[in-house]
Amino acid sequence: MSLHKINPYLNNADTLISNVSPFLHWGQTSTYGPVSLFFFALSALGGSISPLVAVYIFKIICVLVHTLNGYLIWRLLTNSENRNLITLAYLVNPMLLNEQIANAHLDVLLANTLIVLIGCIYYQRYVLGILAIWVGFLVKTLPIIWLPLVFAFLCKQRRWKDLAASVLLSLLIIAVLTYTFMPTVSAWRSLLNPGTAGATARSFHHAINLFLNFLPNVSVETRESILSFLKYFAYLSWIVYYAVTLIKSLFRKKDSEINLVSDIGWTTLTLFLFATPWLMPWYPSILLPIAALSINSPHFVLTSLTFSLSPSIILGGGAGTSVISLVTSFVSVVPPTALLIFGRKKALF
């Protein structure tokens, strides 16, 4: 669509008829930002030969970016005794190889911006870190939740020049995007993936949905009311947790870049684990760059590794209505939740 000068944020995916159309099961506008569309457009150049050529061009891009991610992690772990081992573990991690290369999900690009962000934080290049967040946002929407954490950190550190430059940079990016790619509210809303609104898979939300399905004498209206309440309760609970994290960061006596990276990791993990009804197996893979670069945080590393593994243990059945889908949901979220809870208790005692 981009190559044909059709704005994918204002036009549905089936607007353009091409040799890819027979394989298309996506009728809505684009849910990914312009940075993602740039790499999609590069891949689409091979679409005139064959859709398969386009797919493998994108997979080659994913291999190259994943290799770059490993190199960046290696560079950032200069003072670590396990530098080579951690880098190798990241490069050959089966979840990353499966989800970010074999299945070619955009999270490999998102991981790149996240690694750059963490590097900028550790080396105190905060304005460049804010730019990395915006580039990540223009890949997938998730990084926008990291922005307030970095802004709060800059306030706490009294980095007023960096804060002012970051605010101006953010306003400039928003203005440019509004003037070019996303001139309407609906275009911006497209990035929130409205196609998954109300859908559940591999999450606590889906498990509760199926459990209510199996109960007798529960009407459809009652089930939908319960699910709606639970969804908004989960969102509100996560927002409260996020707000508490922000406030704690402002009043923490000894704040550091390590604490900021830890806050980014935990808020992202809890968002996926408790407040994401539509939980896909590749979502937690974005936690692994944080795990690789987390300093003295074995609890987060173990929880992230478990969370990345759990949704992929059972293939298929993630969004179905059978017993196996119920089992899949519990296997996806219960092990990391158990580690999260018991790890916190161990830290307290």
Coordinates of all heavy atoms in Angstrom, one line a residue, residues 3 36-48 50-62:
L3 N 3.9 1.5 -1.2 CA 4.6 1.7 -2.5 C 3.6 2.2 -3.5 O 4.0 2.9 -4.5 CB 5.1 0.3 -2.9 CG 6.3 -0.3 -2.1 CD1 6.6 -1.6 -2.6 CD2 7.5 0.7 -2.1
S36 N 7.9 0.4 11.0 CA 7.6 -0.9 10.5 C 7.3 -1.0 9.1 O 7.7 -1.8 8.3 CB 6.4 -1.5 11.3 OG 6.8 -1.7 12.7
L37 N 6.5 0.0 8.6 CA 6.0 0.1 7.2 C 7.2 0.3 6.3 O 7.2 -0.2 5.1 CB 5.0 1.2 7.0 CG 3.7 1.0 7.7 CD1 2.7 2.0 7.2 CD2 3.1 -0.4 7.5
F38 N 8.3 1.0 6.8 CA 9.5 1.1 5.9 C 10.1 -0.3 5.6 O 10.4 -0.6 4.5 CB 10.5 2.0 6.7 CG 11.9 2.0 6.0 CD1 12.1 2.8 4.8 CD2 12.9 1.3 6.5 CE1 13.3 2.8 4.2 CE2 14.2 1.3 5.9 CZ 14.4 2.0 4.8
F39 N 10.2 -1.1 6.6 CA 10.8 -2.4 6.4 C 9.8 -3.3 5.6 O 10.3 -4.2 4.8 CB 11.2 -3.1 7.7 CG 12.3 -2.4 8.4 CD1 12.2 -1.5 9.4 CD2 13.6 -2.7 8.0 CE1 13.3 -0.9 10.0 CE2 14.7 -2.1 8.6 CZ 14.5 -1.2 9.6
F40 N 8.5 -3.1 5.9 CA 7.5 -3.9 5.1 C 7.6 -3.5 3.6 O 7.5 -4.3 2.7 CB 6.1 -3.6 5.6 CG 5.8 -4.3 6.9 CD1 4.8 -3.8 7.7 CD2 6.4 -5.4 7.3 CE1 4.4 -4.4 8.8 CE2 6.1 -6.0 8.5 CZ 5.1 -5.5 9.3
A41 N 7.8 -2.2 3.3 CA 7.9 -1.7 2.0 C 9.2 -2.3 1.3 O 9.1 -2.6 0.1 CB 8.0 -0.2 1.9
L42 N 10.3 -2.3 2.0 CA 11.5 -3.0 1.4 C 11.2 -4.4 1.0 O 11.6 -4.9 -0.1 CB 12.6 -2.9 2.4 CG 13.3 -1.6 2.7 CD1 14.4 -1.8 3.8 CD2 13.8 -0.9 1.5
S43 N 10.5 -5.1 1.9 CA 10.2 -6.5 1.6 C 9.2 -6.6 0.4 O 9.3 -7.5 -0.4 CB 9.6 -7.2 2.8 OG 10.4 -7.1 3.9
A44 N 8.3 -5.7 0.4 CA 7.2 -5.7 -0.7 C 7.8 -5.5 -2.1 O 7.2 -5.8 -3.1 CB 6.2 -4.6 -0.4
L45 N 9.0 -4.9 -2.2 CA 9.7 -4.8 -3.5 C 9.9 -6.1 -4.1 O 9.9 -6.2 -5.4 CB 11.0 -4.1 -3.3 CG 11.0 -2.6 -2.9 CD1 12.4 -2.1 -2.6 CD2 10.3 -1.7 -3.9
G46 N 10.0 -7.2 -3.3 CA 10.1 -8.5 -3.9 C 8.8 -9.2 -4.2 O 8.8 -10.3 -4.8
G47 N 7.7 -8.5 -3.8 CA 6.4 -9.1 -4.0 C 6.0 -9.2 -5.4 O 5.2 -10.1 -5.8
S48 N 6.6 -8.4 -6.3 CA 6.3 -8.5 -7.7 C 6.8 -9.8 -8.3 O 6.3 -10.2 -9.3 CB 6.9 -7.3 -8.5 OG 8.3 -7.2 -8.3
S50 N 7.3 -12.7 -6.3 CA 6.5 -13.7 -5.6 C 6.3 -13.3 -4.1 O 7.2 -12.7 -3.5 CB 7.3 -15.1 -5.6 OG 6.7 -16.0 -4.6
P51 N 5.1 -13.5 -3.6 CA 4.9 -13.3 -2.1 C 6.0 -13.9 -1.2 O 6.4 -13.4 -0.2 CB 3.5 -13.8 -1.9 CG 2.8 -13.7 -3.2 CD 3.9 -14.0 -4.2
L52 N 6.4 -15.1 -1.7 CA 7.4 -15.9 -0.9 C 8.7 -15.1 -0.9 O 9.4 -15.1 0.2 CB 7.6 -17.3 -1.5 CG 8.3 -18.3 -0.6 CD1 7.6 -18.5 0.7 CD2 8.6 -19.6 -1.4
V53 N 9.1 -14.5 -2.0 CA 10.3 -13.7 -2.0 C 10.2 -12.5 -1.0 O 11.2 -12.2 -0.3 CB 10.6 -13.2 -3.4 CG1 11.8 -12.2 -3.4 CG2 10.9 -14.3 -4.4
A54 N 9.1 -11.9 -1.0 CA 8.9 -10.8 -0.1 C 9.0 -11.2 1.4 O 9.6 -10.6 2.2 CB 7.5 -10.1 -0.3
V55 N 8.4 -12.4 1.7 CA 8.5 -13.0 3.1 C 9.9 -13.2 3.5 O 10.3 -12.9 4.6 CB 7.7 -14.3 3.1 CG1 8.0 -15.0 4.5 CG2 6.2 -14.0 3.0
Y56 N 10.7 -13.8 2.5 CA 12.1 -14.1 2.9 C 13.0 -12.9 2.9 O 14.0 -12.9 3.6 CB 12.6 -15.2 2.0 CG 12.2 -16.6 2.5 CD1 11.1 -17.2 2.1 CD2 13.0 -17.2 3.5 CE1 10.7 -18.4 2.7 CE2 12.6 -18.4 4.1 CZ 11.5 -19.0 3.6 OH 11.1 -20.2 4.2
I57 N 12.7 -11.9 2.2 CA 13.4 -10.6 2.3 C 13.2 -10.1 3.8 O 14.2 -9.6 4.4 CB 12.9 -9.6 1.3 CG1 13.4 -10.0 -0.1 CG2 13.5 -8.2 1.7 CD1 12.9 -9.0 -1.2
F58 N 12.0 -10.1 4.2 CA 11.7 -9.7 5.6 C 12.4 -10.5 6.6 O 12.9 -10.1 7.6 CB 10.2 -9.6 5.9 CG 9.9 -8.9 7.2 CD1 10.0 -7.5 7.3 CD2 9.5 -9.6 8.3 CE1 9.8 -6.8 8.5 CE2 9.2 -8.9 9.5 CZ 9.4 -7.6 9.6
K59 N 12.4 -11.8 6.4 CA 13.1 -12.7 7.3 C 14.6 -12.5 7.4 O 15.3 -12.6 8.4 CB 12.8 -14.2 7.0 CG 11.4 -14.6 7.3 CD 11.2 -16.1 7.3 CE 9.8 -16.5 7.7 NZ 9.7 -18.0 7.9
I60 N 15.2 -12.2 6.2 CA 16.6 -11.8 6.2 C 16.9 -10.5 7.0 O 17.9 -10.4 7.8 CB 17.1 -11.6 4.7 CG1 17.1 -13.0 4.0 CG2 18.5 -11.0 4.7 CD1 17.4 -12.9 2.5
I61 N 16.0 -9.6 6.9 CA 16.0 -8.3 7.7 C 16.0 -8.7 9.2 O 16.8 -8.2 10.0 CB 14.9 -7.4 7.3 CG1 15.1 -6.8 5.9 CG2 14.9 -6.2 8.4 CD1 13.9 -6.0 5.4
C62 N 15.1 -9.6 9.6 CA 15.0 -10.0 11.0 C 16.3 -10.7 11.4 O 16.7 -10.5 12.6 CB 13.8 -11.0 11.1 SG 12.2 -10.3 10.9

